[in-house]
DNA sequence: GTTTTGACGGTCT
DNA sequence: TAGACCGCCAAAA
């Protein structure tokens, strides 16, 4: 199983429940990547991978990656469609909709296995 | 092979 | 409290 750092990010991102969001640092810390940038980079390639990258925002709850989407507003629309309120390109009640990785997943199944 | 950038986070000033 | 800098690893030019 090719468990590259972005593959792990894909798994966690896909594991994010509907109506929930998470941030790069949480995923990076969960996967022990060491850098939130790796997560953003992995999600940068998510196009066509079926990865709900729109559920991943920065620590401030801002849709930092909206500019990378086909349409900057698409990300907001998708989040609102999932029941997440967006105001000024930011997630309303971010802490309430924040999804903590690892607390609902088996890290043993997501962390670097046997390579 | 080297340099710069990248959807970030945390800490220092 | 707000702004600036550094750190992280990887890929593309």
């Amino acid at each position: 199983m090719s468990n590259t750092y972005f593959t792990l990010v894909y798994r966690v991102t896909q594991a994010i429940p509907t109506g929930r969001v998470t941030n790069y640092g949480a995923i990076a810390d969960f996967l022990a990547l060491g850098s939130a940038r790796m997560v953003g980079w992995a999600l940068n390639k998510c196009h066509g991978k079926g990865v709900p990258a729109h559920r991943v925002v920065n620590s401030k709850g801002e849709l930092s990656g909206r500019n990378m989407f086909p349409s900057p507003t698409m990300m907001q629309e998708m989040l609102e469609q999932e029941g997440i309120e967006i105001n000024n390109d930011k997630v309303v009640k971010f802490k309430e909709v924040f999804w903590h990785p690892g607390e609902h997943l088996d890290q043993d199944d997501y962390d670097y296995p046997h390579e």
Side-chain angles (χ1 to χ4, degrees):
Chain A
M1 192 178 218
S2 303
N3 290 301
T4 51
Y5 76 98
F6 52 86
T7 302
L8 297 173
V9 173
Y10 291 166
R11 280 177 145 187
V12 177
T13 305
Q14 292 173 4
I16 301 174
T18 306
R20 275 300 144 69
V21 295
T22 189
N23 65 1
Y24 304 93
I27 298 173
D29 182 68
F30 172 61
L31 300 177
L33 297 178
S35 299
R37 276 187 156 164
M38 306 296 100
V39 180
W41 213 315
L43 292 177
N44 189 306
K45 302 166 53 258
C46 81
H47 287 280
K49 306 295 189 303
V51 180
H54 58 271
R55 294 178 186 163
V56 184
V57 296
N58 63 3
S59 60
K60 298 173 189 169
E62 301 173 305
L63 283 56
S64 34
R66 76 197 143 137
N67 192 27
M68 195 21 169
F69 277 74
S71 298
T73 55
M74 187 185 82
M75 187 173 183
Q76 178 175 333
E77 290 295 306
M78 293 179 75
L79 289 172
E80 291 180 322
Q81 192 174 142
E82 295 184 357
I84 301 175
E85 300 177 69
I86 306 298
N87 189 326
N88 192 13
D89 298 319
K90 300 179 190 64
V91 179
V92 181
K93 300 177 183 176
F94 174 59
K95 58 180 294 184
E96 295 183 26
V97 297
F98 182 75
W99 179 75
H100 298 263
E103 294 186 358
H104 297 278
L105 297 174
D106 295 322
Q107 184 166 2
D108 182 69
D109 185 54
Y110 283 87
D111 200 348
Y112 296 97
H114 345 273
E115 215 33 73

